Amino acid sequence: MSILVDRTTRLVVQGLTGREGTFHALACRDYGTRLVAGVTPGKGGLVHEGIPVFDTVAAAVAKEGANTSLIFVPPAAAADAILEAADAGIGVIVCVTEGIPTLDMVRAHRALQGRPCRLIGPNCPGLISPGKAKVGIMPARIHRPGRVGVVSRSGTLTYEAVGQLTERGIGQSTCLGIGGDPIIGTTFVDALRLFEADAETDAILMIGEIGGTAEEEAAAFVKAHVTKPVVGFICGQTAPPGRRMGHAGAIISGGSGTAAEKMGAMRQAGITVVKSPAEMGEAVARLLATGTRATRSAAKAPVPRKRPTAKTGGSRQEPPRKGNRPARTAGKSGTAGGRRTSRRTNRRG
């Protein structure tokens, strides 16, 4: 199994005839995705690279049975393209476009509420179910079919994580880039819910960023609902507060959204948190070997400090001494039996 896209996916590319649309559409088709149509207003009736082009998404759905859309439309028109796909009955809408005005996405997000469709992105690399279908811009060659689900706000870190997994012989069920904008269609919680329900996903790798509260909400969901082992990483650990780092959503504001806060929430939820992206693949491999979740730090009791004992040479638990100076051994300063015997010392005592 996989989530959202598989061999039944019938893809329509909005903005097919543009340079980026053509390049990535052909890459999806070469991977084996069933690319059935393209949409460019005013170019309906053309055949582009062997793909029929329509003026509207509705026409592509009616004539070719498209059920998934991949959007390469300029930012000013991208929100309308999302809504057009939803109006046509597309079930999975993937929007790669970066730089969509926030107010446009506010309106689009509100309009999609309650509709039988799922939006991935915007400003995302899309998703891939290795060996089945690719709907996005990720390099297909680094992926391998398997049983680890990957979800990330960062596109390039998704590729890094997948590369580490594949090098270790660990395949992926589905790799999903949810996007780094403040307003996105599918959240960490949505993806985690899908992976938890997928019988052929055994573990989950979650890659977050500074800014917002998406990772904290995901941690709370993992603690309450996820039974599968989860590895997490937060990028932007050295970012100064108030500085926007790359993605529009990666900004710390009001003292919240820091990497430390997110990592702490994830640890308390039982997520295995790594501090470096270089450790992601290794951490997943360890979890798969043990098949267990990390111990929730909130449930860990403090361990009393152990002090050596003179009688046994071993250790015992005792509270720290208060007001007692450590014993001194005899030496040149005139000590006997651990006490100072000089007149000056006795006066102070």
Side-chain angles (χ1 to χ4, degrees):
M1 291 179 64
S2 56
I3 64 170
L4 300 177
V5 297
D6 53 28
R7 292 189 179 91
T8 66
T9 295
R10 296 180 64 83
L11 180 64
V12 55
V13 175
Q14 295 174 252
L16 171 68
T17 56
R19 183 184 63 182
E20 299 297 327
T22 297
F23 178 84
H24 291 293
L26 295 180
C28 291
R29 186 176 67 179
D30 292 343
Y31 188 71
T33 307
R34 300 174 69 182
L35 176 57
V36 298
V39 171
T40 301
K43 295 188 178 181
L46 297 179
V47 176
H48 182 69
E49 298 287 348
I51 307 162
V53 179
F54 299 89
D55 289 321
T56 66
V57 179
V61 171
K63 295 186 178 180
E64 300 295 339
N67 56 22
T68 302
S69 173
L70 180 59
I71 298 176
F72 294 97
V73 172
D80 285 340
I82 292 171
L83 295 178
E84 180 187 357
D87 288 341
I90 294 291
V92 177
I93 305 167
V94 180
C95 185
V96 175
T97 305
E98 181 177 3
I100 301 177
T102 302
L103 186 57
D104 286 1
M105 278 310 304
V106 168
R107 294 167 177 158
H109 188 274
R110 183 182 181 89
L112 293 178
Q113 300 304 305
R115 296 200 187 190
C117 64
R118 179 177 296 279
L119 171 64
I120 311 296
N123 190 14
C124 76
L127 71 163
I128 181 173
S129 294
K132 300 175 183 177
K134 166 187 166 178
V135 180
I137 62 174
M138 67 288 296
R141 65 183 181 277
I142 65 174
H143 295 81
R144 169 177 177 162
R147 303 179 67 89
V148 175
V150 180
V151 56
S152 173
R153 281 173 68 181
S154 169
T156 50
L157 274 180
T158 306
Y159 314 152
E160 172 64 25
V162 169
Q164 292 180 24
L165 294 175
T166 298
E167 285 179 358
R168 289 169 170 79
I170 301 172
Q172 307 89 45
S173 55
T174 298
C175 302
L176 170 64
I178 61 175
D181 280 2
I183 300 175
I184 55 176
T186 297
T187 65
F188 277 126
V189 171
D190 297 328
L192 290 167
R193 183 181 290 111
L194 292 169
F195 281 131
E196 174 67 14
D198 182 17
E200 295 188 6
T201 294
D202 294 337
I204 304 167
L205 173 57
M206 185 180 88
I207 304 170
E209 295 179 347
I210 58 170
T213 59
E215 290 78 7
E216 290 89 339
E217 293 166 5
F221 181 83
V222 168
K223 187 174 183 178
H225 302 289
V226 177
T227 61
K228 300 176 182 180
V230 182
V231 173
F233 171 71
I234 300 295
C235 60
Q237 296 175 32
T238 60
R243 180 71 58 84
R244 179 171 292 159
M245 305 295 288
H247 289 167
I251 180 171
I252 304 170
S253 59
S256 63
T258 65
E261 290 174 341
K262 294 176 183 294
M263 294 167 71
M266 291 164 71
R267 288 192 183 99
Q268 289 182 358
I271 297 173
T272 299
V273 180
V274 296
K275 293 184 177 181
S276 167
E279 301 171 354
M280 294 186 291
E282 181 181 353
V284 173
R286 287 199 305 267
L287 254 65
L288 289 175
T290 59
T292 57
R293 285 270 298 277
T295 303
R296 291 175 182 171
S297 59
K300 292 182 180 179
V303 179
R305 185 174 59 177
K306 294 183 178 181
R307 300 179 62 87
T309 62
K311 292 182 180 180
T312 63
S315 61
R316 67 179 180 181
Q317 296 178 2
E318 66 179 43
R321 293 183 176 183
K322 293 183 179 180
N324 292 334
R325 297 179 64 182
R328 297 176 181 267
T329 58
K332 294 182 180 180
S333 59
T335 61
R339 287 183 172 273
R340 299 181 65 89
T341 58
S342 70
R343 185 176 302 171
R344 179 180 178 185
T345 303
N346 288 338
R347 283 201 304 268
R348 289 186 178 181

